[in-house]
Amino acid sequence: MTLNTESSNNKGKLIVFSAPSGSGKTTIVRHLLGIDYLNLEFSISATSREKRGEEIHGKDYYYLSTKAFKNHIKNDDFLEWEEVYRDNFYGTLKTEVERIWALGKHVIFDIDVAGGLRIKKKFPEETLAVFVKPPSVDELKIRLKKRKTESEDKINMRIAKASIELATAPQFDKIIKNYDLAVALEEAETLVADFVGVKKKVK
C-alpha cells in the first residue's frame, strides 16, 4: 500500500506538532482544530497501548492489539510507526491521511518526535514540522504528575525520554516555546495559517 502525494487530486498539507509528553502540544492542536478557516482534520494515531480514562476508539486513537499492530507493520500500512516503549507501539496509518485528504482538508498530527521527523523526511515539501518546547524538564514532571494517569515509574521513563527528545528540536522547521500558553496558541495559529496559505483572521 502506497501513499502518493503527487497523484492525489485533493492533496492537502501535513502539519506535525511534536514534543515530549506534557509540553502542551495536544492543547495547541485542539485549539487549532477549533479554528474553521484553517481547514484542519486531526490524524488519529494507532496504538497498541490500553485505553486511558474515557478515551474512545476511533476518536482518541485506533486501539489495536500488539499482534494486529505488527501485522500492519508487516503489510507496510503505516506512514510512520515506532515502538515507544517495549510492546507499546504508536503509528500513523496511511489510510488515515488518505481519509482526510479525501475530505479536502489539511492533516494535523499530534505525534511523537521520531514519528514527526519521519513524516517530514518522507514529505519535505508538504510538511510543516513544529516542535513544542516546555519551560523545563522539571515543569514537565509537574505537569505529568498532575494528570494522575500514570505510575511514578512511567513518568520517570517519559522524563528520561524527554531529555533525548529536546535535543532533536533544531531538526524541526519551527520551535514554539510554550512558556505562556496564550502566546504559544497565537504563534501556532500564525504559523499554520501562513503554511496553508490563508490569511489569519483578526479576532
Side-chain angles (χ1 to χ4, degrees), residues 12-151:
K13 301 284 190 183
L14 305 171
I15 296 133
V16 168
F17 276 83
S18 295
S21 291
S23 298
K25 72 180 185 304
T26 301
T27 302
I28 292 171
V29 167
R30 283 179 181 155
H31 172 75
L32 294 171
L33 282 164
I35 301 172
D36 289 343
Y37 79 89
L38 293 176
N39 195 30
L40 304 173
E41 181 83 7
F42 182 61
S43 171
I44 302 166
S45 295
T47 184
S48 65
R49 76 154 170 79
E50 296 293 320
K51 288 183 192 175
R52 288 189 205 127
E54 296 178 359
E55 290 178 339
I56 299 166
H57 176 78
K59 181 184 174 190
D60 297 292
Y61 286 95
Y62 297 118
Y63 296 94
L64 308 174
S65 67
T66 301
K67 185 180 177 182
F69 202 106
K70 287 178 177 178
N71 279 337
H72 279 299
I73 293 170
K74 197 165 72 175
N75 295 331
D76 192 31
D77 292 337
F78 286 107
L79 182 61
E80 58 77 31
W81 65 271
E82 188 186 9
E83 187 173 12
V84 179
Y85 305 106
R86 184 181 167 83
D87 281 338
N88 199 337
F89 294 90
Y90 288 84
T92 303
L93 289 160
K94 293 174 182 176
T95 50
E96 183 64 2
V97 174
E98 288 164 350
R99 174 185 76 81
I100 295 167
W101 278 348
L103 296 172
K105 294 193 170 192
H106 305 294
V107 188
I108 188 165
F109 300 85
D110 171 357
I111 59 172
D112 183 86
V113 166
L117 289 173
R118 283 195 195 102
I119 289 172
K120 177 66 184 178
K121 189 175 179 183
K122 281 187 180 178
F123 302 115
E125 299 304 315
E126 295 91 349
T127 306
L128 171 68
V130 182
F131 187 95
V132 180
K133 196 172 183 181
S136 66
V137 172
D138 286 342
E139 176 63 23
L140 273 188
K141 193 160 190 175
I142 291 165
R143 291 178 186 178
L144 290 171
K145 281 186 171 181
K146 277 184 182 173
R147 286 183 184 176
K148 295 181 178 174
T149 56
E150 294 177 316
S151 67

Side-chain angles (χ1 to χ4, degrees), residues 2-16:
T2 58
L3 181 68
N4 187 344
T5 61
E6 297 305 318
S7 64
S8 175
N9 294 326
N10 297 310
K11 186 173 78 171
K13 301 284 190 183
L14 305 171
I15 296 133
V16 168

